[in-house]
Amino acid sequence: MARIAVIGAGMGAMATAARLAVAGHQVTVYERGATYGGAVGRYEREGFGFDTGPGLLHLPAVYRDLFVKTGKRSLEDCVDMVQADPAVRHVLPEHRIDVTLQGASRGGVAAALDEAFGQGAGERWNAVLGRARDAWDATRRPLLEEPLRPDWQVLGNDPYPALRKSGLLRRRTPTLQEIADRELGGALGDLLTGLVAEYGIDPRSAPGAATILPYMEQTFGSWYVRGGMRALATAVYERCLERKVSFVFGAEVREVLVRGGRAAGLLLADGSEAAADSVVCGIDPAGLPAGSLPWPPDAVPARGGLQGTSRFTLFLALRGARPEGTAHRTRLSSGGTSTPDLTVLRPDDPATRPDDGHEAITVQARCAPQGVVDWTAPSMAEPYAERLLEAAAQVVPQLRERLLWHEVRTPVDVEAATGAVGGSVPLPALAGAGGRLLYPANTTAVPGLYLAGGWAHPGGGLPHAGMTGALVAGLIVEGAEFRGSQ
């Protein structure tokens, strides 16, 4: 039995801790904050409740596997998880299109797209996602289920089999924007790029492999946990406690101790030391003091090339019942106009509202992190919140008349909750783009020191962060020869 010290109590860190504990190790989690979950938090006021981070889960099999491998009770025994159907409503004001798509139904999606965009739109859409499936099949294991391979540079090649119709595309692989323009065109292309932009990825520079993200959504569905996504974090935390994982809250880590050429524990901010045989860093390494993690700053691959975005969120308390048939998630895509792109989440969940005569709505938009923009300046947060309210009113009828109050969460609040510098939100790793969209490997140059969570391979997002638990636990338990689950 080895002593394992885990830095941070985010989802990836807790997934790692649970798997290591069930393997017989003594695991202690050191969290600088007062609670668990990292970005998966909860805000409550006057009977209204809101998720402060992700509002939906894609690829739920990651957490199903975690619960199967760490205890007798399944994920569905621990949380009430339902599939969002319809999956998403798309509003494209520039094209005067408003279309709602079913979840996990190729035929239903194709029929809805034909009606909204014209005959043949569904066939073109399914053809693009069919090529995305080829990219998924080619990269699923190396990007999700296996430790980052030593020859990671091969993942710099774009696996998306784009149609090649011009000399330009023969000279280089096309960007996602070019794929959307050439293979879908017009408003339908804007729908694809809007879905990818929701992850914080710029379609103009993203590779075709980014089509994997809408493919995952349509194939595996979008899932919501009743009581809010915080309930998922609570279930993972309770599973850790069942496996005898210890948590120390209010324990800020100052340094990873290295003795005898390997990780030996942690130096905490109060000056005390926590000895360990192995250390797992489950937070953004940039959030630790400079030099506290002993590897070169040019370690390859560097921290994901598509980072630098954060999340601006509005919590809206509304009078009046949620209309029957309302889509859980609505995407407003500006199409290059002055209207911000945003996501509106309207869960049908009594736990989010004081009674059925009220509704809780979350509005989210990607934005620059603190430091690139000063969100503490009076001229920034509230004016931007007003722009988002104005945009949200396009998809929520009578929003202004129904609004009781709103709360604003900026990148400053994201940084306070997660420790990520500037409130940056990690993006999922992607193949292509020369490898600049990959994250550091789960192993480091220091024996006994590992990386988990959204800032390590395979990157951000609930499923990706959860997969780091399987990868890091496998590397610690089985050693460097571990090549992922079979």
Side-chain angles (χ1 to χ4, degrees), residues 109-436:
V109 167
L113 294 177
D114 280 345
E115 183 176 351
F117 295 90
Q119 194 63 34
E123 183 179 1
R124 296 199 307 278
W125 178 264
N126 282 340
V128 167
L129 290 200
R131 289 186 280 277
R133 180 190 59 218
D134 294 340
W136 164 262
D137 290 340
T139 59
R140 175 178 58 87
R141 284 196 60 81
L143 276 183
L144 280 180
E145 299 175 0
E146 297 178 349
L148 190 67
R149 52 197 301 172
D151 59 340
W152 57 266
Q153 291 87 348
V154 301
L155 293 173
N157 299 321
D158 191 346
Y160 180 82
L163 300 178
R164 299 177 181 270
K165 300 180 180 179
S166 70
L168 167 68
L169 299 186
R170 281 194 291 270
R171 290 193 297 272
R172 61 167 175 81
T173 56
T175 65
L176 179 73
Q177 184 68 63
E178 290 167 337
I179 287 171
D181 293 341
R182 291 178 176 276
E183 300 182 22
L184 295 174
L188 190 59
D190 287 349
L191 189 149
L192 178 71
T193 57
L195 279 172
V196 171
E198 187 175 9
Y199 289 83
I201 298 172
D202 186 346
R204 297 168 298 180
S205 59
T211 55
I212 286 175
L213 301 173
Y215 166 78
M216 285 173 52
E217 289 189 21
Q218 184 167 312
T219 303
F220 304 111
S222 301
W223 297 78
Y224 174 73
V225 177
R226 294 197 184 279
M229 297 304 292
R230 175 68 175 176
L232 177 62
T234 297
V236 177
Y237 172 68
E238 291 177 346
R239 176 54 54 90
C240 286
L241 295 180
E242 290 173 10
R243 306 316 306 181
K244 309 303 181 185
V245 174
S246 298
F247 286 80
V248 183
F249 294 105
E252 184 174 356
V253 175
R254 179 177 297 170
E255 184 179 346
V256 175
L257 300 174
V258 178
R259 291 173 179 147
R262 64 170 291 117
L266 304 174
L267 175 64
L268 304 180
D270 63 5
S272 64
E273 294 186 3
D277 301 301
S278 293
V279 172
V280 177
C281 178
I283 65 171
D284 178 2
L288 293 175
S292 61
L293 289 180
W295 62 74
D298 59 348
V300 291
R303 317 170 16 148
L306 278 182
Q307 61 179 314
T309 67
S310 187
R311 184 186 296 116
F312 192 103
T313 305
L314 295 180
F315 303 136
L316 310 182
L318 274 63
R319 62 171 63 87
R322 177 184 186 273
E324 187 175 352
T326 296
H328 185 117
R329 168 181 167 222
T330 297
R331 275 289 303 158
L332 177 67
S333 299
S334 66
T337 68
S338 59
T339 300
D341 287 2
L342 53 83
T343 300
V344 178
L345 300 175
R346 305 178 70 178
D348 185 10
D349 184 356
T352 65
R353 54 187 184 252
D355 54 55
D356 288 343
H358 295 83
E359 183 181 7
I361 294 179
T362 300
V363 178
Q364 292 182 340
R366 287 286 181 161
C367 65
Q370 175 68 20
V372 177
V373 171
D374 183 7
W375 291 105
T376 65
S379 61
M380 290 304 303
E382 280 301 333
Y384 191 62
E386 283 299 315
R387 288 185 62 200
L388 292 187
L389 280 172
E390 182 178 352
Q394 298 183 52
V395 299
V396 181
Q398 299 181 310
L399 174 61
R400 294 284 188 177
E401 293 84 351
R402 296 177 59 197
L403 186 63
L404 294 171
W405 50 261
H406 73 272
E407 285 281 344
V408 176
R409 288 293 181 271
T410 74
V412 176
D413 300 298
V414 176
E415 181 174 21
T418 66
V421 175
S424 292
V425 177
L427 311 176
L430 292 172
R436 67 181 176 85

